[in-house]
Amino acid sequence: MKGQDVLFDLPPPGEKPVKFLRPQNPIWTENKAKLIERYLYYFVLVTHHGVYIDGFAAPQQNDKPESWAAKLVLESTPRWLREFWLCDIKKKGVKRLNAMVTEQPVVKGRRLHVLEGDFNQRIDTILSESRIDENTAAFCLLNQRTFECEWKTVERIARHKKDGRKIEIFYFLATGWLDRAIRATTRNHHRIERWWGQADWRRLKGMPSLERANLFCDRFKNELGYKHAHAWQIFSRETGGTVMYHMVHASDH
C-alpha cells in the first residue's frame, strides 16, 4: 500500500511463492516482527503444517503490539501452524502470553503451550514433548536481547533431528551494541562465554558488525551443519540508517 514499507514481493492471492525474495527496501527495526511473520506466511504455504518455538516470546514493547512477533505469527492466516511453544522468563511476560493465547479462536488440532522459565533450561522439555519428528517442519525464533540464549541451547535445537531437515532458526544478534554490552559486563564473564559457547569470546570485541554476523553464519553452517545461513540487516530510522542488529536465518531449505 502507498506509504508503507514493502518487505517482500508478494504473490497474487491464491498463488504459492516460487521462492522467498529479499526485501525491496531496508528492514527497519519496527518491522522486525513483520519480517518474521511474513517469513512464516511463506513457510506454511509450502509446508501446510509446522511447529513454532519462541524462546523469548513476551512483547518487548508493551505499547506496540504490532512489534510482537509471537502475536503476529499466532494470528497469521492461513492458520496451518499446528503447535506453538511460547516461553519467557518473566512472570509479567508469561501473564501477557497467557492473555494473548486466551484471546485466540479455537482451531481444531492446534496446540498452544506457554512456559515460564529460562529457555536454556526449558528447551529439553519443549523438544521432548513437542510433536517434532524427522518429517515435521519446525521453526524457532531466538529473539534474545543480547546474551540470554546460550550456544548449547542453539546446538540442542539444531541437532534435535537426526536425519530430516533441521529446525529452522531465526537468531537475534545484537551487533549494534555488542561492544558496549561486553564492556559493561565487568563481572560474570561466564555469561558471555555461555552465550558464545567458547572461551575465545574476546575475539568479538572491536570486530566490524558485518564480520561478526558472517562469523555467526559460518558457525551455523560449519559447526551445526545447516546448509544455508544468512544475516538480515535491521536498520534504525532514528540514527540515519545505522545497522542496529542482525537476524541470522539458518535453514536446510
Side-chain angles (χ1 to χ4, degrees):
M1 295 178 64
K2 186 176 181 181
Q4 293 183 341
D5 293 313
V6 179
L7 288 180
F8 304 102
D9 287 322
L10 297 180
E15 289 189 17
K16 294 182 180 181
V18 176
K19 64 182 292 188
F20 183 62
L21 301 174
R22 298 197 182 190
Q24 296 176 332
N25 297 325
I27 303 172
W28 307 110
T29 52
E30 65 267 27
N31 286 334
K32 177 185 66 174
K34 189 63 176 176
L35 165 68
I36 296 162
E37 183 274 328
R38 282 288 85 187
Y39 181 77
L40 267 296
Y41 165 79
Y42 285 104
F43 183 91
V44 298
L45 285 185
V46 173
T47 64
H48 287 253
H49 75 285
V51 174
Y52 175 83
I53 301 170
D54 194 331
F56 308 88
Q60 295 186 4
Q61 296 175 289
N62 291 328
D63 59 336
K64 295 183 178 180
E66 71 279 2
S67 69
W68 189 359
K71 186 175 190 293
L72 293 184
V73 173
L74 191 56
E75 295 177 352
S76 179
T77 56
R79 298 179 187 270
W80 291 342
L81 287 171
R82 309 312 295 168
E83 190 171 345
F84 288 78
W85 292 87
L86 310 176
C87 182
D88 202 82
I89 197 169
K90 295 182 178 179
K91 290 185 180 297
K92 287 184 178 179
V94 171
K95 184 177 180 180
R96 289 290 306 277
L97 286 168
N98 280 318
M100 185 266 292
V101 165
T102 301
E103 295 171 354
Q104 302 304 311
V106 175
V107 178
K108 184 178 180 180
R110 175 176 273 196
R111 299 199 305 167
L112 309 177
H113 308 270
V114 176
L115 290 80
E116 180 180 346
D118 186 341
F119 183 65
N120 300 293
Q121 298 173 9
R122 290 297 229 163
I123 186 58
D124 288 335
T125 298
I126 293 172
L127 294 176
S128 64
E129 296 184 6
S130 69
R131 296 175 179 175
I132 300 174
D133 59 26
E134 298 301 313
N135 297 314
T136 304
F139 177 96
C140 181
L141 175 62
L142 300 175
N143 193 26
Q144 62 190 323
R145 286 167 174 78
T146 309
F147 300 130
E148 289 79 9
C149 187
E150 299 173 4
W151 190 253
K152 66 179 181 180
T153 301
V154 183
E155 291 177 327
R156 288 189 179 106
I157 296 166
R159 293 171 180 158
H160 178 66
K161 292 187 181 184
K162 305 305 179 185
D163 299 312
R165 289 189 171 114
K166 294 180 180 7
I167 297 173
E168 292 196 32
I169 294 177
F170 259 33
Y171 178 92
F172 179 95
L173 178 60
T175 45
W177 59 86
L178 196 61
D179 283 327
R180 186 167 68 251
I182 291 175
R183 288 195 301 270
T185 308
T186 56
R187 301 179 180 179
N188 302 322
H189 286 160
H190 61 276
R191 183 186 183 207
I192 304 177
E193 185 169 329
R194 288 198 299 264
W195 165 79
W196 175 239
Q198 299 175 169
D200 64 345
W201 57 268
R202 290 175 178 82
R203 64 186 289 211
L204 297 172
K205 293 195 296 184
M207 185 181 290
S209 64
L210 181 58
E211 186 176 338
R212 271 195 294 239
N214 288 333
L215 179 59
F216 270 83
C217 289
D218 289 342
R219 293 192 71 188
F220 273 100
K221 290 184 288 187
N222 299 332
E223 294 181 25
L224 304 182
Y226 281 95
K227 293 181 180 178
H228 309 283
H230 175 74
W232 300 81
Q233 295 177 315
I234 312 295
F235 297 87
S236 169
R237 294 184 195 271
E238 289 76 13
T239 57
T242 301
V243 176
M244 292 300 293
Y245 47 84
H246 288 81
M247 295 299 296
V248 178
H249 178 211
S251 173
D252 281 346
H253 292 270

